[in-house]
Amino acid sequence: MKKNNYIILGGLLLASASVLALNFYLGKSHKTLVSNDDLIITKPKKLFASKVVFLWGGLHFADPQWMLSQIPNTILNKYTFLIVPYNTSLSSVKSSYKAEFNKDVKEKNLMLVGFSAGAKIPQQVYSNDFELVGLIDPSTDSQLAKKSYGENTVLTYNLPNWSGLPSIYKQLPILRESVVSSGGKAIELKLSHKKFVKYFFENLKWLKN
């Protein structure tokens, strides 16, 4: 009887080790499931990838394809991404996720990240229920800047980048205070606007395993 138990236990351990090894191997790559002007979906090839990032681009150059080009493979190989234009509603992105994966995304596994004008949607729908809300050199306004943001918020910005738009320039310090006062992170960087997305994904340890 003991011998059979050892055999069963050995088999389970071998199976577990095999799954982990396969997951590690597949985790070094990703695939693009959808790619068009309005939506890009990428997914790691590893077996278990529960974390999802909804990423909004900005105006002009910052379309979904450009946003994708700013994300290092090390991140694409670990997390599912849905990348959309700046004015795409959260409900629309959720619908795209459900259409592709035939299930709803759980908010505890969901990270909302927006760049420039695309950061307005994450501000509008902010909730403590999301794993993370990332605001990358964001546009904002008087109402969004004064909202209460929690510990799951990361703001990166360079105020001089908005000197040509007085309304945003005036509100960014207020947004910063709103984020910091509620336990979130606000980091001011001396970077040009275009360099923020790549820096955000390459240098900040905001994504959790």
Side-chain angles (χ1 to χ4, degrees):
M1 188 67 179
K2 286 185 177 180
K3 184 177 181 181
N4 288 338
N5 287 341
Y6 286 139
I7 292 174
I8 292 171
L9 179 59
L12 290 173
L13 290 173
L14 181 60
S16 298
S18 297
V19 169
L20 289 173
L22 180 61
N23 200 48
F24 177 79
Y25 173 75
L26 292 176
K28 292 183 176 295
S29 59
H30 66 274
K31 55 185 175 180
T32 300
L33 304 177
V34 176
S35 182
N36 57 55
D37 291 343
D38 296 318
L39 175 66
I40 293 176
I41 300 178
T42 68
K43 185 181 185 301
K45 289 184 179 178
K46 65 181 182 178
L47 299 180
F48 306 111
S50 61
K51 306 297 184 183
V52 180
V53 181
F54 288 178
L55 177 61
W56 283 264
L59 292 167
H60 310 303
F61 64 88
D63 59 17
Q65 195 62 49
W66 183 85
M67 294 294 289
L68 176 62
S69 73
Q70 302 303 295
I71 307 170
N73 284 331
T74 52
I75 298 298
L76 291 171
N77 294 345
K78 293 175 68 176
Y79 305 95
T80 296
F81 273 82
L82 278 76
I83 308 173
V84 296
Y86 76 97
N87 56 354
T88 308
S89 68
L90 175 60
S91 60
S92 178
V93 190
K94 285 184 173 181
S95 295
S96 296
Y97 180 92
K98 187 170 185 178
E100 184 63 34
F101 299 106
N102 198 31
K103 62 180 179 180
D104 293 317
V105 62
K106 297 179 180 179
E107 290 193 350
K108 67 178 182 179
N109 294 327
L110 179 58
M111 291 164 272
L112 307 185
V113 182
F115 169 59
S116 195
K120 278 194 165 185
I121 298 289
Q123 290 173 74
Q124 290 167 4
V125 302
Y126 174 79
S127 168
N128 277 314
D129 294 331
F130 298 119
E131 178 163 331
L132 178 131
V133 174
L135 309 176
I136 307 176
D137 209 23
S139 174
T140 191
D141 60 38
S142 58
Q143 290 185 330
L144 296 176
K146 294 176 182 177
K147 287 184 66 172
S148 178
Y149 299 92
E151 294 180 356
N152 62 341
T153 310
V154 176
L155 164 67
T156 60
Y157 71 103
N158 184 11
L159 191 58
N161 287 345
W162 296 97
S163 59
L165 293 169
S167 60
I168 299 173
Y169 186 87
K170 180 180 179 181
Q171 297 302 325
L172 263 178
I174 299 173
L175 175 61
R176 180 198 179 281
E177 181 58 30
S178 297
V179 170
V180 172
S181 64
S182 55
K185 296 179 181 178
I187 304 167
E188 186 167 13
L189 301 164
K190 296 185 181 301
L191 295 174
S192 66
H193 194 54
K194 270 191 173 184
K195 292 182 178 180
F196 262 85
V197 178
K198 180 170 285 190
Y199 184 94
F200 186 85
F201 286 105
E202 285 184 344
N203 295 283
L204 296 184
K205 308 300 182 183
W206 53 271
L207 284 172
K208 299 178 182 178
N209 292 319

